[in-house]
Amino acid sequence: MDGLGGALERAAVDGDVVDGWLQGLAGNQVLPVEMLARLLEFDELPMPSFWLKYRTLDAAATELLVASPQVQHRLDVAENATADVDVLARLARDPEPRVRFVYAVMLFEYKRRIPAGVLDILAQDPEPTIRRIVGESEKPPVAVQEPPPVLTAEQRVTHPDPAVRMKAAADPEVPTVLALRLAEDPENDVRLAVSMREELTEE
């Protein structure tokens, strides 16, 4: 941990960080939240913050992004399908209308569980476009829908959605022998996620 933190400090001072190194850190699905916080301090990152929309986020990482003073970070976490829904609910009162708009759209787009009171808050939003999203959505509230079926590890590594395969490749709960099947996946992000598994050597 200290070594990685020190490397980040030296990189910030010396300015000799290569994009590939930063991109590798950004895509590391098991990067500690403390290191994620340090990474977000860089003004310029490869692919700006595009990667924030697709990396797996636990409650602590979601908290970090929801509380970020940077609007783009809050927009990205609103679009992240893995973000903790209870922490994410704070975006219903975000001071930036764009963040509340994206959050409202994603509530129905991702069919996530909607914490109690969120729809009521958004239905009274000062912005008419946000109120309209809630009032005119044809999808039933996610809170009353049956939870999605739990996929087996085998189903995840063979799933047609690259995002599902990428998360499976990075998930330590997925056996290595299954994750290695994705080493030849047609999607670069999936192959990259496999290469970052801690149990694999560089070879």
Side-chain angles (χ1 to χ4, degrees):
M1 179 82 66
D2 292 340
L4 182 55
L8 284 171
E9 288 181 358
R10 290 191 297 275
V13 172
D14 299 337
D16 59 357
V17 177
V18 296
D19 279 356
W21 188 75
L22 275 178
Q23 186 170 339
L25 277 179
N28 187 343
Q29 297 292 328
V30 294
L31 187 72
V33 68
E34 296 84 3
M35 291 299 99
L36 177 61
R38 296 296 304 280
L39 193 61
L40 294 177
E41 293 175 3
F42 283 86
D43 292 331
E44 295 185 7
L45 287 174
M47 305 185 298
S49 59
F50 174 81
W51 50 277
L52 285 176
K53 300 177 184 179
Y54 300 102
R55 67 169 292 125
T56 300
L57 299 177
D58 59 14
T62 304
E63 173 84 34
L64 173 69
L65 293 166
V66 166
S68 172
Q70 294 197 38
V71 173
Q72 188 60 52
H73 291 166
R74 305 200 304 275
L75 287 169
D76 290 336
V77 73
E79 293 191 58
N80 189 300
T82 70
D84 184 279
V85 294
D86 294 305
V87 178
L88 208 59
R90 300 178 194 174
L91 296 181
R93 298 184 184 276
D94 194 275
E96 172 58 51
R98 288 182 296 159
V99 173
R100 300 197 307 273
F101 175 82
V102 172
Y103 173 62
V105 170
M106 292 299 106
L107 279 178
F108 298 102
E109 181 71 21
Y110 286 151
K111 301 181 180 179
R112 292 187 280 213
R113 175 176 63 83
I114 302 178
V118 165
L119 291 181
D120 291 337
I121 294 171
L122 294 174
Q124 301 175 46
D125 194 276
E127 296 293 325
T129 53
I130 297 174
R131 297 196 303 270
R132 191 175 304 120
I133 290 170
V134 177
E136 297 181 357
S137 175
E138 296 180 359
K139 298 181 179 68
V142 178
V144 301
Q145 292 181 339
E146 290 295 323
V150 177
L151 299 178
T152 65
E154 177 78 25
Q155 290 171 322
R156 292 173 66 192
V157 300
T158 58
H159 200 279
D161 187 344
V164 174
R165 299 199 305 276
M166 183 180 71
K167 291 172 189 174
D171 188 348
E173 297 296 321
V174 173
T176 303
V177 67
L178 288 179
L180 283 175
R181 295 184 190 177
L182 299 172
E184 298 182 358
D185 194 275
E187 295 292 332
N188 180 62
D189 288 343
V190 177
R191 299 195 302 273
L192 179 62
V194 175
S195 70
M196 291 181 179
R197 289 179 71 95
E198 289 188 332
E199 73 273 20
L200 299 180
T201 64
E202 183 175 349
E203 179 181 356

